[in-house]
């Protein structure tokens, strides 16, 4: 295994990729003290264990990683060894610095990515919802990482474009793997409960069926069929019901203006809010508040 240790600002190979802060491949044959103390991660780190066994602390929890395991660490999480060392073995990783990524799932990769903004929002949500930093059976990861390394080192014609496409492919493959793994662990009622929680936390977001389906790792057709079977409503009608339920709570429990309630619950105008509210409850929002 060839060693590789490229860091932003130090490695000429990364000059064209300021959003790649690290590209590292290590084979550790001698333990060095204080080489891997627990500290806050920088950027999104995606890596792979190829040899050995590593006991790490990630986000306050202890994990044992084996060959074939992929690790996924976020900017707000801590990572390191409780012993402060990297054990004997081999591993590789890449670290990306997105323009924006926070624990709520707000994510903007930057101009280099060709992933549409709406899909970046879904990817951000799925990544933020993931609570397992150690993934098994992420088969696409090793090959994509190897191809990224090759393109960066060889710098043949079109290498910038190809690296950016490979990064997009890595992130999309990773998110699909997370969604499928999550679905494998849970049945649909549990998945649906998680989806509803995400929707309630951000009702003002202009959710699309594609985004909602992406959150639970399904295609739009399968997602629509499951939601209809589970709730009796289409996904968008179910979302409207959630918005009206939240609006009713705000009308009863707060003195917020009708316009503020409309925008907070995801309606694009007070008129839209009023007409939808009356259609579903028989009252205008103002009339409903007076009955309370």
């Amino acid at each position: 295994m060839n060693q590789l240790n490229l860091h932003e600002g130090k490695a000429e190979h990364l000059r064209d990729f300021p959003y790649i802060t690290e590209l590292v491949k290590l084979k550790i044959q001698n333990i060095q003290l204080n080489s891997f103390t627990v500290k806050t991660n920088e950027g999104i780190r995606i890596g792979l264990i190829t040899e050995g066994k590593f006991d790490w602390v990630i986000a306050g929890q202890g994990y044992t990683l084996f060959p074939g395991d992929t690790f996924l660490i976020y900017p707000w999480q801590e990572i390191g060894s409780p012993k402060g060392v990297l054990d004997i073995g081999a591993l590789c990783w890449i670290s990306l610095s997105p323009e924006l990524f926070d624990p709520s799932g707000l994510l903007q990769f930057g101009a280099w990515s060709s992933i549409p903004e709406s899909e970046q929002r879904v990817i951000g949500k799925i990544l933020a919802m993931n609570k397992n930093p150690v993934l098994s059976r992420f088969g696409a990861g090793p090959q994509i990482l190897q191809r990224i390394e090759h393109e960066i080192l060889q710098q043949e014609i079109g290498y910038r474009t190809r690296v950016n496409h490979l990064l997009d492919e890595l992130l999309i493959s990773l998110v699909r793997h997370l969604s499928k793994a999550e679905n494998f662990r849970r049945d649909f009622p549990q998945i649906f409960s998680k989806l509803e929680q995400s929707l309630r936390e951000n009702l003002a977001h202009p959710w699309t069926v594609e985004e909602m389906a992406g959150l639970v790792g399904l295609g739009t057709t399968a997602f629509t069929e499951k939601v209809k079977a589970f709730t009796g409503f289409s996904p968008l009608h179910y979302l409207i019901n959630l918005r009206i339920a939240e609006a009713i709570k705000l009308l009863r429990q707060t003195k917020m203006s009708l316009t503020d309630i409309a925008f907070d619950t995801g309606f694009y105008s007070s008129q839209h809010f009023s007409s939808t509210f009356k259609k579903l409850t028989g009252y205008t929002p103002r009339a409903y508040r007076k009955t309370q």
Side-chain angles (χ1 to χ4, degrees):
M1 176 182 182
N2 296 325
Q3 302 276 12
L4 185 69
N5 205 335
L6 305 181
H7 292 265
E8 178 194 19
K10 298 179 180 177
E12 185 68 16
H13 287 93
L14 293 184
R15 182 188 58 191
D16 297 319
F17 309 99
Y19 37 89
I20 301 176
T21 55
E22 290 180 307
L23 181 60
V24 177
K25 190 160 71 174
L26 295 177
K27 185 173 180 65
I28 303 124
Q29 297 175 312
N30 298 295
I31 292 176
Q32 297 180 356
L33 298 177
N34 299 317
S35 59
F36 195 48
T37 55
V38 178
K39 61 182 180 181
T40 303
N41 189 54
E42 294 183 0
I44 300 174
R45 187 186 307 197
I46 303 167
L48 178 72
I49 305 298
T50 53
E51 294 177 18
K53 168 178 166 290
F54 296 87
D55 292 313
W56 290 353
V57 172
I58 303 172
Q61 299 290 322
Y63 296 89
T64 300
L65 292 83
F66 298 96
D69 283 345
T70 298
F71 51 95
L72 171 63
I73 319 297
Y74 302 145
W76 55 87
Q77 294 178 326
E78 287 188 331
I79 179 175
S81 163
K83 297 178 294 185
V85 300
L86 271 173
D87 292 307
I88 292 173
L91 69 164
C92 58
W93 71 84
I94 188 169
S95 292
L96 302 176
S97 178
E99 288 185 351
L100 172 65
F101 187 36
D102 68 20
S104 74
L106 287 175
L107 175 63
Q108 296 173 3
F109 288 125
W112 62 267
S113 175
S114 60
I115 299 175
E117 185 178 336
S118 61
E119 292 185 5
Q120 291 191 33
R121 287 199 297 266
V122 175
I123 290 173
K125 283 287 183 183
I126 293 173
L127 290 176
M129 286 167 58
N130 175 53
K131 304 302 181 188
N132 186 5
V134 181
L135 317 174
S136 60
R137 299 188 297 274
F138 178 42
Q143 185 183 22
I144 299 175
L145 285 172
Q146 189 175 22
R147 291 167 63 193
I148 290 172
E149 175 194 333
H150 174 83
E151 292 293 337
I152 287 178
L153 294 182
Q154 298 304 315
Q155 300 199 345
E156 298 175 12
I157 185 169
Y159 70 96
R160 298 179 186 85
T161 301
R162 182 155 287 181
V163 167
N164 291 344
H165 287 171
L166 287 168
L167 290 174
D168 282 344
E169 183 180 346
L170 176 64
L171 292 160
I172 290 171
S173 298
L174 182 62
V175 168
R176 286 185 177 183
H177 179 84
L178 289 176
S179 295
K180 289 175 182 175
E182 192 71 5
N183 286 341
F184 184 77
R185 285 194 295 269
R186 302 179 303 185
D187 57 23
F188 191 71
Q190 291 173 304
I191 296 170
F192 189 82
S193 176
K194 195 74 174 179
L195 169 69
E196 183 174 310
Q197 180 184 340
S198 295
L199 298 178
R200 287 184 183 279
E201 288 174 354
N202 192 6
L203 284 173
H205 177 72
W207 292 100
T208 65
V209 175
E210 183 184 15
E211 286 177 307
M212 290 188 280
L215 283 179
V216 298
L218 293 172
T220 55
T221 301
F223 174 70
T224 299
E225 290 175 353
K226 281 185 174 291
V227 172
K228 279 184 177 177
F230 191 67
T231 69
F233 298 102
S234 72
L236 290 180
H237 282 159
Y238 186 76
L239 176 61
I240 289 174
N241 287 342
L242 288 181
R243 287 175 164 150
I244 292 297
E246 179 65 15
I248 287 173
K249 187 177 78 174
L250 294 173
L251 287 167
R252 295 175 61 181
Q253 298 179 358
T254 75
K255 294 183 179 179
M256 290 174 64
S257 72
L258 300 186
T259 299
D260 287 344
I261 291 175
F263 290 138
D264 276 10
T265 52
F267 295 95
Y268 54 78
S269 70
S270 56
Q271 290 78 15
H272 179 217
F273 170 47
S274 182
S275 62
T276 305
F277 192 93
K278 186 173 183 180
K279 183 178 178 181
L280 294 182
T281 68
Y283 295 91
T284 65
R286 194 179 306 280
Y288 178 82
R289 177 170 263 173
K290 287 180 179 177
T291 66
Q292 302 304 303

